[in-house]
Amino acid sequence: MKKRTAKGQALTELILEIFRVNGELLSAGNRITKPFGLTSARWQIMGAIDEDGQPLTVSQIARRMGLARQGVQRIINDLEELGLITSAANIDHKRAPIFSLSDEGEKVIAKINEAQTSWVNALSSDLAVKQLTDLQTALQTIREQSEILN
């Protein structure tokens, strides 16, 4: 049986902590979005559409967020039914419509972003910008290496 190297063990412990942080962040996201009748998952999809301000296909959203296309499609259907996003024909691919935030969706995401701003400012108050940027760089490197190995 192979043994982990010291780096492998340290990364394993980091991965386990990321799993715990992910669970906490999803719970926090659910608390932030609950007053607006949403969940973290729905907010994540709306945020992906809002990020560039450009309409996106389900596949584009899934790739950008690292999610399964089928899961994104289910949430897109829910958001469309709630009137928070709209679909339009895609001139590049007839079977893959593009999605944008509706006027109501833009209002809701603005309110959620305002609530998230207060929360994230409080959460980051005891951290240095350099700590956060170094961690973001390390996590990006881990993700990119994992994508290469898979």
Side-chain angles (χ1 to χ4, degrees):
M1 180 176 195
K2 284 188 174 183
K3 287 194 128 195
R4 290 187 187 106
T5 62
K7 288 180 186 179
Q9 183 59 36
L11 182 54
T12 297
E13 291 172 18
L14 175 62
I15 290 167
L16 292 172
E17 187 60 27
I18 289 169
F19 290 159
R20 290 187 285 269
V21 169
N22 181 58
E24 174 51 35
L25 293 178
L26 289 173
S27 293
N30 286 335
R31 289 189 299 275
I32 290 168
T33 59
K34 186 175 183 178
F36 308 100
L38 294 178
T39 63
S40 288
R42 289 176 177 177
W43 178 27
Q44 185 178 22
I45 301 307
M46 289 178 70
I49 296 169
D50 184 51
E51 187 174 20
D52 291 335
Q54 299 296 318
L56 297 172
T57 65
V58 168
S59 293
Q60 288 171 323
I61 295 167
R63 277 192 301 276
R64 289 177 185 203
M65 303 308 291
L67 301 170
R69 195 202 64 73
Q70 295 84 353
V72 172
Q73 183 65 63
R74 182 185 52 77
I75 294 169
I76 285 287
N77 294 344
D78 294 344
L79 291 170
E80 197 169 21
E81 189 174 307
L82 291 168
L84 297 174
I85 62 169
T86 60
S87 64
N90 181 350
I91 60 170
D92 294 324
H93 195 291
K94 291 183 182 187
R95 291 182 35 192
I98 52 176
F99 296 92
S100 303
L101 295 178
S102 66
D103 290 343
E104 183 62 24
E106 288 180 6
K107 290 176 190 173
V108 169
I109 200 81
K111 291 176 185 176
I112 291 171
N113 288 342
E114 187 175 320
Q116 188 270 352
T117 297
S118 297
W119 172 81
V120 81
N121 287 345
L123 183 63
S124 63
S125 66
D126 292 335
L127 299 166
V129 171
K130 181 164 178 17
Q131 282 178 292
L132 296 170
T133 56
D134 287 350
L135 180 56
Q136 190 275 331
T137 299
L139 291 172
Q140 181 178 348
T141 300
I142 292 166
R143 177 185 48 80
E144 290 169 352
Q145 284 296 103
S146 181
E147 289 171 352
I148 290 168
L149 293 173
N150 290 325

